[in-house]
Amino acid sequence: MRDGLGPARVRLRGGPVLAELAERFGEQARAKVLSGEVVDADGVAVDAATVLPCGASVYLYRELPDEVPVPFEIPVLYSGADLVVVDKPHFLATMPRGRHVAQTALVRLRRDLGLPELSPAHRLDRLTAGVVLFTARRELRGAYQSLFARGLVRKTYLARAAVDPALELPRVVRSRIVKRRGRLQACCEPGVPNAETLVELVSDGLYRLTPRTGRTHQLRVHMASLGIPILGDPLYPDVVDVAPDDFGAPLRLLARRIEFDDPLTGVRREFVSGRPAP
């Protein structure tokens, strides 16, 4: 682990390692081999003469892209031997993906808390703020992730949107949501529903959203489908180009509360965001 980020694993086609890495990744990869920065599965540095079979793996640290710093702290709601729960700010991705690597909650928390095995038990969209649960040790991740996968975690969100007097609420929205690789938006398609959200109007323009499933962009898609897209949403109903350093207009969506029975102790856990309603 370096600065909160683990090495990249590269599965090889087989043959001279230096030639393959240089062909696939360019001169930077060649330089890393020659400087002893690339290791095999046993942690032994490879060199210009190393030949490995097809399917073998080597590990190296990536050169991080230039990223716009996200100028917000990550308040810690709870820190224990098993769990770390934080109040993630808007604009900070939960974990590395695409062009967001160092400026993610996972990498910053690993570095700041000195917890190299920290892992997310679930994920919030980069633009969504609120409660996120991390496991402190690698062997615990599966137990907590399975709670989310099996729908055993109750999650409550708050969102700000326009009010449509003709819209009958509360209501349960069900649809089939599909997110395809390479497309920014998820979309609703005909077929068996795989996404369900309870939508309630709490006060003028403030909604409580209780998802019963966890599809990508589910709440944003469902609110847009009702004709009341969440304020500040750059994707729904239409894609809006936003500068990467524009932090002035956040998505008005907050993961307010998480509740579950701890899989290790059976104790009822509840964590609530300290952020004001969006």
Side-chain angles (χ1 to χ4, degrees):
M1 196 70 62
R2 291 183 183 175
D3 291 327
L5 190 66
R9 176 188 181 191
V10 180
R11 190 179 296 274
L12 301 172
R13 297 192 293 261
V17 174
L18 177 61
E20 180 174 341
L21 293 182
E23 174 194 346
R24 292 171 62 180
F25 305 111
E27 288 304 311
Q28 278 191 348
R30 178 192 294 273
K32 285 182 179 293
V33 171
L34 297 178
S35 62
E37 295 183 53
V38 182
V39 301
D40 63 18
D42 295 320
V44 177
V46 303
D47 58 27
T50 302
V51 175
L52 291 176
C54 177
S57 295
V58 294
Y59 299 82
L60 68 159
Y61 289 96
R62 295 170 288 178
E63 296 300 322
L64 297 182
D66 291 332
E67 297 180 57
V68 176
V70 178
F72 305 115
E73 298 298 321
I74 313 174
V76 176
L77 300 174
Y78 174 84
S79 181
D82 299 334
L83 297 176
V84 173
V85 184
V86 304
D87 207 350
K88 187 185 80 66
H90 296 284
F91 304 106
L92 190 68
T94 301
M95 58 191 294
R97 186 175 184 182
R99 68 179 186 273
H100 304 289
V101 182
Q103 289 299 310
T104 60
L106 176 61
V107 172
R108 284 174 51 173
L109 288 167
R110 278 178 173 173
R111 182 184 64 236
D112 295 347
L113 301 179
L115 295 173
E117 294 187 6
L118 195 73
S119 297
H122 64 118
R123 191 176 69 191
L124 281 186
D125 290 345
R126 185 178 68 88
L127 299 183
T128 303
V131 182
V132 183
L133 177 71
F134 292 83
T135 56
R137 303 194 307 280
R138 184 179 296 111
E139 66 268 20
L140 302 176
R141 185 179 182 187
Y144 288 95
Q145 278 189 327
S146 69
L147 293 178
F148 291 88
R150 293 155 57 200
L152 299 179
V153 179
R154 177 178 172 83
K155 296 175 285 185
T156 307
Y157 292 71
L158 295 177
R160 185 75 61 177
V163 174
D164 180 357
L167 190 62
E168 185 176 338
L169 296 174
R171 71 165 58 190
V172 174
V173 182
R174 298 183 181 89
S175 66
R176 181 171 185 80
I177 295 178
V178 177
K179 177 71 165 63
R180 290 189 169 82
R181 184 182 297 273
R183 296 187 60 180
L184 295 175
Q185 292 179 315
C187 61
C188 292
E189 294 188 348
V192 178
N194 62 4
E196 182 176 310
T197 305
L198 172 63
V199 180
E200 303 170 277
L201 181 60
V202 177
S203 61
D204 187 26
L206 182 65
Y207 294 82
R208 180 168 52 240
L209 310 177
T210 307
R212 293 169 181 165
T213 53
R215 310 304 297 184
T216 299
H217 296 176
Q218 175 177 322
L219 303 181
R220 299 162 68 180
V221 170
H222 279 170
M223 290 293 282
S225 74
L226 295 176
I228 48 171
I230 298 171
L231 297 181
D233 196 334
L235 291 184
Y236 303 95
D238 301 307
V239 177
V240 178
D241 189 22
V242 179
D245 58 351
D246 183 0
F247 302 113
L251 176 69
R252 305 289 290 276
L253 178 62
L254 174 68
R256 174 68 171 164
R257 183 189 306 267
I258 280 182
E259 303 170 65
F260 59 93
D261 292 330
D262 193 294
L264 304 183
T265 65
V267 173
R268 186 68 175 175
R269 299 270 201 174
E270 179 180 341
F271 301 104
V272 181
S273 169
R275 300 180 185 277

